[in-house]
């Protein structure tokens, strides 16, 4: 389990809440402005309508509840505040040039019900049926080809509503940035209480083609603030606002499904009202709808969107997530999109295409960020994250693709590396100019880098929170959480890991580690080289050598990481099995077309079990014929060649540490693998392995999702049990979806097998209906895991000394129920083993309470 990563990110958010200070600057302008909050909870209210009572002049509040608009006030004027579900309020205006309001709205839940019952929804519903009926035609994913120039901007900042108006109090965390930026900022800065912490921009050419499928991005330039803490803040804006497609039935955010207000399921989740229309030439109109959720605790949005009644295509959208949606750490989400007419070359006409997409996040800043529903604030500071994608030079269905277009789905890098271009280059390249405030962020960065004290503080914070020590942008050492650990074989274990970074070798990465155990008094080490030939289509080769303890299975055991936390959570009542592996491997991964990934590898390894283990020596014939050969052997030498192919339909991916990490696919992913064991040097066994794996995350409803992984395989040949299939067992009281939690490692062995891992996540479907419990935003989960495996007579007889056990007739089954989202980090599961209760590995493993710890949204 990646414990240190999740705690590091959570620690960063909490540190920011405690440590940043801002500054307030007064503005002198004739304007009506203010902030609107919920009287009961104190949360800022977005999209509240503020307008003059008798004239069509006004504004909507932003994600921080702020509004501001100019007006020529007349005697007797007043403003009216309207918001669905709250009591409307009216405030009189005076003759002052600046009138500032602090407004607290009182929630009246019955008003929403009254509106839904008495209002006539038919006009909005009837027109929305026409909009939805045209989705297939208007959806950009159905275009044959799209080409655009994309400008991506990402920013992380902290908003402090109680920042001192005159004095600057530098916080211990990011106070230097607040101090420098407060001196640089303009007097007319509308975001006067917000301190920028991270900013980046990227310009690239993007192209999507359908036949054959290809999604390509040619990165032209990248620019970042270049702080040490950028590595901590960049993951908070890792999402791509350009991926949000409101034409989809369900919009995926943070791996959760939310119902689009213009998707085919919209009528089951929303009421629609026509709130405005704008006359256009030739008798057409832009019609603005308001979408109001039928149930605010569903995974839904609320807000406004505009369509053109000539094509019923989207013109704009301004939506926020329902405030009652069950999502961790985030208090508010806002999606803003603008569409513009672009040339459809093949049709000789124009159609609406996405011009700008903006995703804004507001993180929790009180004890609710830890799942504790108490009105106690950790501070007044609020984390603000903004991701914007702007498109220019848009061409639809152009006859020829751009020269950079490549086969396959889009592959992007997680780490944004500054390309080093100067401001003159960027000024000429940008399709639009930066705002004054955005330009000053770079100036702030330049000044901070010349402040030695501030640079040292940034380095210290980056190291403590990330758990990794970076040597410039060339090397890193860590994770520091694994410098020391403990296990029964090695005793106290020390480990130091080092790897190069993309800045020193853009396409090649060298990594390695050295470790030592005080109990076994043995050194361990590894060294490897990864080289990416191309990112698209993806092509990577790897050469590695390692000599260390590891669990010998074909699964990745997340409980077996050698960090101190996992050392403390192991089961004390089950045997601790480890194998010392010495191996040399070479492999190559190659993308084939849009949907296939090819793998070829060769691995030579020696398995040295750190427990009692013997098997018949295949080289022994008799004492007379083979006097130099022992009757039995302990170590298992293997030489294996593997060929694999993976099918994932139009799957995009991220590249991190020179490795491709696939993102979710819309249909199940199928992987097939064939391995051939050969006799080479000391390798004794010749065999074949064949396996098929299918996995998917299936969204059954917007709240309910099923995560499942089904694998089947067979091994042909008579081999030692360590070469056979070993279903993953757990030796820790930590819930895992990759292993059988109540199965002991090496408890079962098979040369023919089927195994299933499945989890039903209900997303709070039941708990959200219980008034008091719903405050905790808990989520329900059901776990069902099963394994069936058999042994041939030849392998059963060959491994008699190990008393190898298979399930034979009845499959092994474990089931459980769980609750996620305790403190937004912790999950508690009760698991029950259904059968094989008298198996030697079942002792102390019949049932149990398992904990999980994960930083998820």
């Amino acid at each position: 389990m990646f414990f240190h990563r999740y705690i590091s990110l959570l620690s960063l958010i909490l540190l920011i809440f405690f440590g940043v200070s801002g500054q307030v600057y007064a503005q002198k302008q004739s304007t009506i402005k203010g902030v609107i909050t919920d009287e009961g909870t104190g949360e800022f209210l977005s999209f509240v309508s503020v307008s003059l009572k008798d004239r069509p002049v006004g504004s909507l509040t932003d994600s921080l509840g702020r509004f501001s608009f100019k007006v020529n006030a007349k005697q007797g004027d007043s403003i009216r505040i309207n918001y669905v579900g709250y009591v409307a309020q009216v405030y009189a205006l005076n003759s002052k040039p600046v009138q500032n309001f602090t407004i607290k709205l009182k929630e009246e839940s019955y008003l929403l019900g009254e509106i839904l019952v008495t209002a006539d929804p038919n006009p909005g519903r009837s027109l929305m049926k026409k909009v939805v009926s045209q989705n297939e035609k208007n959806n950009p994913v159905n275009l044959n080809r799209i080409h655009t120039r994309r400008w991506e901007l990402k920013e992380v900042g902290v908003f402090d509503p109680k920042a001192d108006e005159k004095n600057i109090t530098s916080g211990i965390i990011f106070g230097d940035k607040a101090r420098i930026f407060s001196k640089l900022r303009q007097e007319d800065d509308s975001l006067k209480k917000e301190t920028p912490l991270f900013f980046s921009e990227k310009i690239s050419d993007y192209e999507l083609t359908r036949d054959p499928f290809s999604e390509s991005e040619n990165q032209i330039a990248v620019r970042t603030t270049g702080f040490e803490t950028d590595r901590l803040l960049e993951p908070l804006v890792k999402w791509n606002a350009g991926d949000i497609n409101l034409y989809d039935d369900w919009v995926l955010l943070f791996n959760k499904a939310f119902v689009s207000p213009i998707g085919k399921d919209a009528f089951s989740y929303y009421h629609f009202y026509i709130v405005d229309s704008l006359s256009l030439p030739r008798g057409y109109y832009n019609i603005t709808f308001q979408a109001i959720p039928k149930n605010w605790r569903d995974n839904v949005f609320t807000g406004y969107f505009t369509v053109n009644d000539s094509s019923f295509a989207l013109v704009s959208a301004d939506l926020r997530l329902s405030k009652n949606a069950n999502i961790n750490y985030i208090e508010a989400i806002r999606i803003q999109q603008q569409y513009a007419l672009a040339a459809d070359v093949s049709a000789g006409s124009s159609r609406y295409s996405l011009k700008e997409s903006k995703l804004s996040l507001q993180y929790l800043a009180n004890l609710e960020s830890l799942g504790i529903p108490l009105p106690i604030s950790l501070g007044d500071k609020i984390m603000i994250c903004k991701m914007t994608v702007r498109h220019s030079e848009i061409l639809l269905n152009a006859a020829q693709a751009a020269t950079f277009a490549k086969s396959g789905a889009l592959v992007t890098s997680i780490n944004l590396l500054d390309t080093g271009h100067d401001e003159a280059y960027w000024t000429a390249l940008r399709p639009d100019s930066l705002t004054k405030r955005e330009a000053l962020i770079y100036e702030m960065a330049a000044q901070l880098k010349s402040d030695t004290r501030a640079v040292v503080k940034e380095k210290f914070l980056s190291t403590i929170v990330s758990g990794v020590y970076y040597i410039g942008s060339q090397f890193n050492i860590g994770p520091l959480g694994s410098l020391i650990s403990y296990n029964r074989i090695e005793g106290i274990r020390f480990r130091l890991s080092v790897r190069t970074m993309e800045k020193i070798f853009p396409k090649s990465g060298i990594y390695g580690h050295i470790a030592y155990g005080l109990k076994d008094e043995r050194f361990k080490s590894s060294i490897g080289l990864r080289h990416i030939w191309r990112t698209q289509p993806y092509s990577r080769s790897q050469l590695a050598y390692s000599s260390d303890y590891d669990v010998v299975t074909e699964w990745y055991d997340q409980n077996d990481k050698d960090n101190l936390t996992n050392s403390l959570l192991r089961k004390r009542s089950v045997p601790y099995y480890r194998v010392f592996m010495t191996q040399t491997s070479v492999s190559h991964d190659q993308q084939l077309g849009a949907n296939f990934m090819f793998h070829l590898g060769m691995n030579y390894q020696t398995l040295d079990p750190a427990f009692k283990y013997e098997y018949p020596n295949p080289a022994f014939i008799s004492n007379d014929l083979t006097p130099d050969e022992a009757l039995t052997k302990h170590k298992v030498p293997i030489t294996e060649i593997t060929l694999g192919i993976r099918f994932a339909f139009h799957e995009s991916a991220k590249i991190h540490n020179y490795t491709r990490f696939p993102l979710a696919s819309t249909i199940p992913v199928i992987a097939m693998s064939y391995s051939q064991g050969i006799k080479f040097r000391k390798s004794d066994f010749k065999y074949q392995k064949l396996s098929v794996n299918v996995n998917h995350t299936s969204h059954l409803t917007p709240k309910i999702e099923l995560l499942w992984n089904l694998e089947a395989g067979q091994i042909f040949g008579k081999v030692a049990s360590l070469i056979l299939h070993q279903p993953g067992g757990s030796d820790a009281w930590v819930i895992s979806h990759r292993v059988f939690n109540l199965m002991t490692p090496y408890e079962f062995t098979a040369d023919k097998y089927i195994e299933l891992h499945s989890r039903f996540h209900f997303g709070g479907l039941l708990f959200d209906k219980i008034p008091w419990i719903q405050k905790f935003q808990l989520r329900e989960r059901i776990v069902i895991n099963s394994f069936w495996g058999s042994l041939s007579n030849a392998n059963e007889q060959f491994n008699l000394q190990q008393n190898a056990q298979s399930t034979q007739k009845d499959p092994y089954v474990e089931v459980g129920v769980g609750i996620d989202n305790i403190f937004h980090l912790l999950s508690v599961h009760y698991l029950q083993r259904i059968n094989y209760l008298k198996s030697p590995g079942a002792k102390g493993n019949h049932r149990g309470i398992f904990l999980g710890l994960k930083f998820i949204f």
Side-chain angles (χ1 to χ4, degrees):
M1 87 180 162
F2 303 104
F3 176 86
H4 60 279
R5 294 186 183 177
Y6 304 129
I7 290 300
S8 296
L9 192 52
L10 178 63
S11 300
L12 170 64
I13 294 174
L14 296 181
L15 283 171
I16 291 173
F17 293 152
F18 280 115
V20 184
S21 62
Q23 183 180 14
V24 175
Y25 289 81
Q27 285 184 306
K28 294 183 178 180
Q29 55 180 346
S30 297
T31 186
I32 308 298
K33 62 179 182 177
V35 63
I36 300 178
T37 60
D38 184 298
E39 183 182 69
T41 65
E43 72 170 319
F44 298 110
L45 297 179
S46 308
F47 305 105
V48 179
S49 173
V50 182
S51 62
L52 289 185
K53 186 177 180 181
D54 300 318
R55 282 183 283 158
V57 179
S59 173
L60 295 175
T61 58
D62 61 15
S63 61
L64 295 176
R66 300 172 297 193
F67 66 89
S68 179
F69 62 93
K70 296 179 179 180
V71 62
N72 294 322
K74 301 178 180 179
Q75 186 175 2
D77 273 346
S78 59
I79 58 172
R80 182 179 178 86
I81 292 87
N82 286 309
Y83 196 44
V84 174
Y86 290 82
V87 177
Q89 297 187 24
V90 177
Y91 291 85
L93 299 181
N94 54 43
S95 57
K96 293 181 180 180
V98 178
Q99 300 178 57
N100 203 340
F101 295 87
T102 299
I103 300 170
K104 297 180 180 180
L105 294 184
K106 182 178 180 180
E107 189 170 7
E108 292 285 358
S109 58
Y110 72 87
L111 286 179
L112 180 59
E114 183 179 348
I115 290 174
L116 297 182
V117 171
T118 61
D120 180 9
N122 289 334
R125 182 182 177 90
S126 300
L127 194 55
M128 273 303 301
K129 286 183 177 180
K130 296 182 180 180
V131 174
V132 174
S133 69
Q134 297 299 310
N135 278 358
E136 189 72 15
K137 185 177 77 172
N138 292 319
N139 195 334
V141 302
N142 295 320
L143 290 168
N144 293 327
R145 181 172 291 122
I146 304 174
H147 178 272
T148 74
R149 172 66 60 88
R150 296 208 307 190
W151 182 25
E152 298 180 34
L153 300 96
K154 299 188 175 183
E155 181 180 349
V156 178
V158 166
F159 176 78
D160 187 352
K162 295 185 178 180
D164 188 86
E165 295 188 7
K166 297 180 180 179
N167 300 319
I168 304 171
T169 55
S170 297
I172 61 173
I173 306 301
F174 293 111
D176 293 306
K177 294 178 181 178
R179 171 175 51 81
I180 295 173
F181 192 74
S182 65
K183 295 179 180 179
L184 294 173
R185 63 171 303 283
Q186 302 293 312
E187 287 297 323
D188 60 353
D189 187 354
S190 60
L191 303 177
K192 52 190 174 300
K193 297 183 180 181
E194 190 174 320
T195 299
L197 305 179
F198 165 80
F199 186 75
S200 72
E201 52 182 329
K202 179 175 75 171
I203 293 183
S204 58
D205 282 325
Y206 170 82
E207 183 160 292
L208 173 67
T209 61
R210 292 294 163 192
D211 188 19
F213 177 81
S214 172
E215 188 178 14
S216 304
E217 181 183 44
N218 181 35
Q219 182 175 290
I220 299 173
V222 174
R223 191 178 186 185
T224 70
T225 40
F227 299 128
E228 282 283 342
T229 51
D230 283 0
R231 299 185 182 96
L232 309 178
L233 298 168
E234 187 179 336
L236 298 177
V237 286
K238 66 181 180 180
W239 297 281
N240 184 0
D243 291 340
I244 297 175
N245 184 7
L246 294 178
Y247 285 101
D248 290 338
D249 298 329
W250 295 346
V251 177
L252 294 181
L253 293 172
F254 321 110
N255 296 322
K256 297 182 182 298
F258 299 90
V259 182
S260 170
I262 68 166
K264 66 181 181 182
D265 298 325
F267 300 108
S268 299
Y269 291 87
Y270 297 97
H271 290 285
F272 296 100
Y273 301 92
I274 299 174
V275 297
D276 196 8
S277 62
L278 176 65
S279 178
L280 301 174
R282 295 186 294 175
Y284 293 119
Y285 288 86
N286 280 348
I287 303 172
T288 301
F289 294 83
Q290 182 179 17
I292 300 177
K294 293 183 177 180
N295 183 350
W296 290 77
R297 292 197 173 275
D298 285 331
N299 287 6
V300 290
F301 301 98
T302 181
Y304 302 87
F305 59 91
T306 301
V307 299
N308 179 272
D309 74 345
S310 65
S311 60
F312 295 102
L314 275 174
V315 175
S316 66
D318 197 340
L319 306 170
R320 65 179 175 90
L321 192 66
S322 168
K323 66 177 182 178
N324 294 323
N326 192 335
I327 187 167
N328 287 352
Y329 312 113
I330 294 179
E331 190 171 40
I333 296 178
R334 187 178 186 181
I335 298 173
Q336 298 166 278
Q337 293 191 335
Q338 294 290 333
Y339 295 76
L341 288 172
D344 186 336
V345 178
S346 63
S349 59
S350 61
R351 58 181 292 167
Y352 281 96
S353 179
L354 184 64
K355 179 73 173 179
E356 178 177 290
S357 182
K358 184 173 183 178
L359 175 64
S360 303
L361 308 179
Q362 177 181 318
Y363 285 86
L364 290 167
N366 49 42
L367 289 184
E368 287 186 350
S369 63
L370 296 180
I372 305 174
L374 297 176
I376 302 174
S377 177
L378 294 175
D380 298 307
K381 305 167 185 66
I382 300 171
M383 173 80 76
I384 305 296
C385 299
K386 306 169 187 175
M387 292 137 278
T388 304
V389 175
R390 296 173 183 166
H391 297 269
S392 61
E393 303 176 22
I394 303 171
L395 283 178
L396 307 178
N397 293 325
Q400 294 182 348
T403 56
F404 66 85
K406 304 181 182 74
S407 175
L410 183 63
V411 179
T412 58
S413 175
I414 290 179
N415 298 321
L416 290 177
L417 299 178
D418 198 308
T419 51
H421 294 95
D422 59 19
E423 177 57 30
Y425 179 89
W426 277 95
T427 300
L429 188 65
R430 293 186 189 103
D432 198 358
S433 59
L434 293 175
T435 65
K436 291 181 181 179
R437 183 177 181 280
E438 291 168 342
L440 288 176
I441 296 176
Y442 287 126
E443 189 173 339
M444 173 194 70
Q447 291 193 22
L448 186 137
K449 292 172 188 175
S450 63
D451 187 329
T452 303
R453 182 184 64 85
V455 171
V456 171
K457 186 192 296 185
E458 286 264 315
K459 169 68 75 173
F460 177 78
L461 177 63
S462 173
T463 302
I464 293 299
V465 176
S466 70
V468 177
Y469 182 79
Y470 292 91
I471 303 175
S473 297
Q474 287 75 38
F475 304 90
N476 72 42
I477 299 174
L480 303 181
S482 296
L483 287 176
I484 184 171
S485 59
Y486 174 83
N487 63 68
R488 301 178 205 175
I489 296 173
E490 299 175 89
I492 297 176
R493 170 186 167 102
F494 301 94
R495 188 184 84 172
L496 180 66
S497 301
V498 181
R499 78 169 184 88
T500 62
M501 299 176 64
E502 292 89 340
K503 195 72 173 180
I504 184 171
F505 299 124
K507 293 187 176 182
S508 300
I510 301 173
Y511 61 93
H513 86 281
I514 185 169
Y516 183 79
L518 296 182
K519 184 176 180 179
D520 67 345
E521 299 181 339
R522 192 174 189 178
F523 278 100
K524 302 92 185 175
S525 63
S526 70
I527 187 169
L529 170 67
R530 296 169 180 165
H531 179 77
I532 295 181
W533 304 96
R534 292 181 303 275
T535 59
Q536 191 172 357
Y538 180 75
S539 178
R540 189 201 72 168
S541 298
Q542 178 171 279
L543 175 66
Y545 168 83
S546 65
S547 181
D548 202 345
Y549 288 103
D550 202 356
V551 178
V552 185
T553 57
E554 296 177 5
W555 41 266
Y556 177 76
D557 183 5
Q558 59 183 354
N559 298 323
D560 198 54
K561 287 295 183 180
D562 56 337
N563 61 62
L564 186 58
T565 303
N566 287 326
S567 302
L568 300 175
L569 296 176
R570 298 192 191 279
K571 299 173 183 176
R572 299 293 181 249
S573 59
V574 302
Y576 183 68
Y577 293 105
R578 298 295 294 271
V579 172
F580 195 89
M581 300 175 59
T582 302
Q583 65 177 351
T584 302
S585 63
V586 59
S587 64
H588 180 76
D589 295 281
Q590 179 68 51
Q591 186 177 9
L592 302 174
N595 305 315
F596 292 93
M597 185 67 67
F598 170 83
H599 172 82
L600 178 64
M602 182 174 182
N603 185 28
Y604 176 74
Q605 58 183 340
T606 300
L607 312 180
D608 183 6
F611 51 90
K612 184 179 179 180
Y613 185 86
E614 288 186 347
Y615 66 96
N617 184 357
F620 177 81
I621 300 175
S622 67
N623 289 328
D624 294 333
L625 297 177
T626 53
D628 297 330
E629 294 290 340
L631 179 62
T632 62
K633 295 181 71 173
H634 174 73
K635 296 182 180 180
V636 184
I638 302 172
T639 301
E640 193 172 272
I641 299 174
T642 299
L643 174 66
I645 190 165
R646 179 177 181 273
F647 173 80
F649 182 73
H650 294 182
E651 178 187 65
S652 58
K654 297 286 187 180
I655 291 181
H656 182 57
N657 292 346
Y658 308 95
T659 301
R660 182 182 186 272
F661 293 92
L663 303 178
S665 177
T666 56
I667 66 173
V669 176
I670 304 173
M672 294 181 289
S673 176
Y674 172 79
S675 297
Q676 172 73 58
I678 61 175
K679 293 185 176 182
F680 173 74
R681 297 184 64 182
K682 297 181 180 181
S683 301
D684 296 320
F685 297 104
K686 186 176 180 179
Y687 57 89
Q688 297 86 37
K689 290 183 177 180
L690 181 64
S691 67
V692 179
N693 181 281
V694 184
N695 70 85
H696 192 234
T697 298
S698 305
H699 294 279
L700 306 181
T701 73
K703 279 197 172 185
I704 302 176
E705 63 180 22
L706 169 62
L707 286 74
W708 57 276
N709 184 88
L710 179 65
E711 182 176 333
Q714 186 167 356
I715 300 167
F716 303 90
K718 184 172 66 175
V719 296
S721 61
L722 288 182
I723 303 177
L724 298 174
H725 179 73
Q726 313 283 337
S730 173
D731 59 13
W733 296 107
V734 179
I735 190 72
S736 171
H737 66 275
R738 302 177 185 270
V739 303
F740 295 95
N741 296 275
L742 290 170
M743 183 188 293
T744 303
Y746 299 99
E747 180 177 348
F748 295 103
T749 301
D751 54 20
K752 183 187 296 183
Y753 67 93
I754 299 175
E755 63 179 69
L756 170 69
H757 298 272
S758 63
R759 292 167 292 154
F760 283 91
H761 291 273
F762 292 92
L765 184 69
L766 301 177
F767 289 142
D768 284 350
K769 293 179 171 61
I770 305 174
W772 185 78
I773 293 181
Q774 65 186 205
K775 298 179 182 180
F776 292 90
Q777 292 192 322
L778 300 177
R779 302 168 187 162
E780 317 86 349
R781 176 194 285 187
I782 293 177
V783 177
I784 303 175
N785 297 326
S786 181
F787 170 79
W788 175 87
S790 66
L791 277 174
S792 65
N793 291 332
N795 277 318
E796 188 172 4
Q797 293 298 316
F798 189 76
N799 291 283
L800 279 177
Q801 290 171 292
Q802 303 307 315
N803 193 25
Q805 179 184 7
S806 64
T807 59
Q808 300 299 342
K809 290 184 179 180
D810 300 324
Y812 165 91
V813 178
E814 65 182 28
V815 298
V817 294
I819 299 174
D820 290 332
N821 225 28
I822 302 172
F823 306 136
H824 288 191
L825 282 173
L826 186 66
S827 64
V828 176
H829 291 75
Y830 171 80
L831 296 180
Q832 172 74 54
R833 181 172 175 146
I834 301 300
N835 52 6
Y836 293 96
L837 302 182
K838 295 183 179 181
S839 167
K843 185 178 180 180
N845 251 349
H846 287 186
R847 64 187 63 86
I849 301 295
F850 286 76
L851 302 179
L853 189 64
K854 196 171 185 180
F855 188 94
I856 59 175
F857 292 93

